[in-house]
Amino acid sequence: FYYAIEEINKDPHLLPNQSLGFQLYNAINSDHRTLENALIWFSGGDEILPNYSCKIPKRSVAVTAGTASPFSAQIGTLLELYRTPQITYGPFDPSLRDKHQYPSLYQMAPGDSNLVHAMIALLLHFGWTWVAVFISDDVKGEQFMRDLEAEMLKKGICVALTEKLPAITTMFGSSHTTFMTRIRVSSANVHILYGEVRSLITVDIAAEFFLTTGKVWIMTAKWDMVVYETDHMLHSFHGSFSLSPHKREIPGFKHFLKTSNPSQYPQDFYFSILWIAFLNCSPPGSLCGKIGVCLPNISLETLPGNFDLMTVSDSSYFIYNAVHVLARVLHTVILEKMEMRSPEDENQPEILPWQLHPLLKKIQFINSGGHQMSFNEKRHRMAWYDIQNNVNFPAGLRLLIKVGEFVSKSPHDQALVINAEMVEWPIGFTETPKSVCSQSCAPGFRQIPREGRPLCCFHCVLCPERHISNRTDAQHCVQCPPKEYANSERNHCLPKVITFLSLQDPLGMSLACTALCFSVITTLVLGLFVKHRDTPMVKANNRGLSYTLLISLTFCFLCSLLFIGRPCTASCILQQTTFAVVFTVAVSTVLAKTITVVLAFKVTAPGRNMRQLLVSGAPNYIIPICTLIQLTLCAVWMGTNPPFVDTDAHSEHGHIIIMCNKSSLTAFYCVLGYLGSLALLSFTVAFLARKLPGTFNEAKFLTFSMLVFCSVWVTFLPVYHSSKGKVMVAMEVFSILASSAGLLGCIFLPKCYIILIKPDKNSMKYLRSRNYALGFDLSRYLL
């Protein structure tokens, strides 16, 4: 304040030929004495006389008020009676912006509506999502809390604890103990502090006498927090952050501090008090004889390190600006009055308080530090904060070190710059502290909120199958496209490999080789039967039906090859139709052979109708009739819903399976059911004829072959439906090969054994002797 007055009075271009004077009054920090000094100023003497002015010199035309908003609001009502301008240098208070209630009040501090955005940006920069908030118990604190919670909700930050600080407390009262207890039990490592000066004194004193470490404090400007000085590093606010409106250095101010001493201001006892209290010496001529006289070269520059007067506080900076604002307004008013007065009038033009308002509302200039000054509402739209780190060094040295800036032109145009290497963290932290309710969920996991807790408290759950999350703290998992799959960590989608039961696949290769081997064996058996077609063994078992069965079995083995390889529309149709027809021929041939055996053993006398059926070969008509029915079923199937090529992207992890879709499961089961009915009928007839006598009676072998056949396909159904992908196709191929091999082995293996190994049993002589011993002559029924 003194420096601004002297700078203006030395400026030849500002208030020329005039000196700017002032009156200094103490704003006592007591609610019931708030108006006392204001009334003394209005009265002009030591006694309060409302509505009277006893002072001979003219009263000051403007007032600069202190840091407490309630004080400015209360004296503002009194000042408004005279329309006296009041310029406050304290923190911006939204409640004082109301021009209807406070038309004569002006705030030098810019609006702090963006302070919340700056704090949120700082929290997000360090990843702090779990914070405690300490606010003053007043309207300003409530408004700040509402704004802070609204922004926290948008950014995913939660409040762990809210503590309201009373404006008036008793020194070392219960409020201090409660306050520090709440800090210690808080699970948050980051605390936000905001409020009026009187509320923050509670925190200041408590932090000095109730040491609490391991907490990072984020507080507002240096004017709000006059931290209780300490001479050691173990201080509750060591490593804290303060956000202060950006300030430019005032040219010449440090030189003024270095050269100032009480002798230059004999009328102001505050200078003497400063010297005595902080430098522990009395100025020359002081009446304090018990304290030594200060050395001639001592100045404010030599203050102990824990008292930093060389750094301009926010309130000091705005006091400087407030004085310059009033000086420029007075300069303009005086010029206007000088132009309007008559040449004969030599008296100094009188300036009334209300005459300053029009100029104050539109004033705009750049101060000596290069900072633009005005009371225009537009200046509140842009925020520029200096982020300072509170560092306590050994031997009592305490500094506020600028570590970053926050600039905001609009909610969508914000910038935060932090030099993390310069940040000094509180005692107990060797790296950036963490303040979260729950540890971050790594990629591949998603958050599940904890019941009854804030949103910042959650569990981490692995993403479900075919879903991923590729960022930290994901709220939801994203499903991979159909042609991609999630890796084991569930943080990336990888392209699926196209697969099918191919010949290059070991499973496909083994099944194909097995099918070819069995088809070759069946062909060899057919050749063996053709070669020995005139032997009793071949003739006794109806060689025509045996040839038909062997040929159909050969095609049964070969049709399995249609299931191996990349599917196409033609192969999908041929798979089902070929399988259905050739197996129908095979099973119906077995049925015909079984009926033939039964007729042969039931015919005991010539001339009977059964003998006529046997001799005429009527059982052989079973094969075309049964095959025709199956062909009809297949034709209906292919004509309505034929099979088609389809893809299965879900059965096997990481693979897209190309397969044949049967299109109509009803048609497929009708075909399979018809085939199963024929097999069951053959098994039943063969089972009833299993005990018929005879040397070459094959009823037992037919029974066993159909038992194997039915067992394979009954087992096939549940296994087929429980399989997926190409394993399902492989199961169908295996069932075809197993059932065909069962028919081949059970029916023809014993015959081949006799033909090749026991040829003596394959003769009419052996046949007659065997039948004679059994009392039954089968030779006459050799076909």
Side-chain angles (χ1 to χ4, degrees), residues 747-761:
I747 296 175
F748 294 100
L749 185 61
K751 297 178 177 58
C752 293
Y753 175 77
I754 293 174
I755 293 172
L756 297 175
I757 307 299
K758 300 289 185 177
D760 54 319
K761 294 183 178 181

Side-chain angles (χ1 to χ4, degrees), residues 57-109:
K58 295 179 181 179
R59 191 170 56 243
S60 302
V61 294
V63 173
T64 57
T67 58
S69 298
F71 173 80
S72 297
Q74 291 184 42
I75 69 168
T77 305
L78 184 62
L79 296 175
E80 187 57 33
L81 296 175
Y82 303 92
R83 294 201 64 194
T84 303
Q86 176 188 187
I87 301 180
T88 66
Y89 54 83
F92 184 85
D93 192 332
S95 62
L96 300 180
R97 185 191 289 182
D98 187 358
K99 287 302 177 182
H100 295 287
Q101 188 174 1
Y102 307 106
S104 301
L105 191 146
Y106 303 87
Q107 299 186 75
M108 282 308 309

